Amino acid sequence: MYDILLTAMIVIAILLILVVIVQPSKNNPSNLTSSDTSVGKRKKARGFEAAMNRFTVVLGFVFMVIALLIAKISS
């Protein structure tokens, strides 16, 4: 059981790294020179960006659950 969880954790860690790398950047170069500094003008993620955000959250949650299970088993 421990070996299966450890293997799953390694696979999920690699997937999590790849998903974070693939995500589109939220930095807009025009924001650096703009004088408009309002915080409330964020756009809601849609399409590919929203799917990647959800996938990242799910992978992070599963990673944490597996980490807790491995800690419980090993103690």
Side-chain angles (χ1 to χ4, degrees):
M1 182 70 173
Y2 178 80
D3 293 333
I4 294 170
L5 286 175
L6 193 59
T7 304
M9 188 173 193
I10 291 170
V11 170
I12 290 174
I14 292 170
L15 284 174
L16 195 54
I17 291 168
L18 291 175
V19 166
V20 169
I21 289 173
V22 171
Q23 282 185 353
S25 174
K26 293 183 181 182
N27 294 337
N28 188 357
S30 65
N31 287 347
L32 298 175
T33 59
S34 172
S35 63
D36 185 19
T37 59
S38 63
V39 176
K41 291 199 171 192
R42 290 170 105 187
K43 292 183 181 179
K44 189 172 184 180
R46 298 183 188 268
F48 177 73
E49 187 177 344
M52 293 306 289
N53 285 342
R54 279 190 227 112
F55 195 53
T56 305
V57 169
V58 169
L59 281 176
F61 179 75
V62 172
F63 183 85
M64 291 303 297
V65 168
I66 291 175
L68 291 172
L69 287 173
I70 288 174
K72 180 73 174 171
I73 289 173
S74 65
S75 64

